[in-house]
Amino acid sequence: MTAELAGKLMQYKVRLKKTDEGYAVWCPYLPGCWSQGDTEAEALENIKDAIKSYLEVVDELNKGEESHYVEVGEPIYA
């Protein structure tokens, strides 16, 4: 993972579906990133590992390429 993202907590929306074998879970915003588990809790833990691995592979594939970073979000005013 890049130094810019290391140590930062990121949240990803995941989908969970009960199956005959347990639970399937996937991240709609990361194509091909999915996992499973016997229980809902196990599936949710497993997708965390799958997301981390997915991001590591993407980072490795883009190693040495010029990258730019942008911030996305709405400012929060108190």
Side-chain angles (χ1 to χ4, degrees), residues 1-64:
M1 189 170 297
T2 64
E4 292 85 358
L5 297 178
K8 291 188 178 182
L9 179 63
M10 299 175 69
Q11 293 183 338
Y12 291 89
K13 183 184 289 187
V14 298
R15 301 282 313 275
L16 190 69
K17 182 178 182 179
K18 176 81 170 114
T19 68
D20 293 338
E21 295 83 27
Y23 290 85
V25 61
W26 64 97
C27 185
Y29 297 110
L30 301 176
C33 185
W34 66 274
S35 192
Q36 60 187 19
D38 292 331
T39 65
E40 186 174 317
E42 181 182 34
L44 290 171
E45 280 302 312
N46 290 344
I47 194 65
K48 291 178 188 180
D49 291 333
I51 290 170
K52 284 174 62 175
S53 295
Y54 186 103
L55 295 175
E56 288 170 0
V57 168
V58 168
D59 196 41
E60 184 63 31
L61 291 173
N62 289 294
K63 195 175 199 176

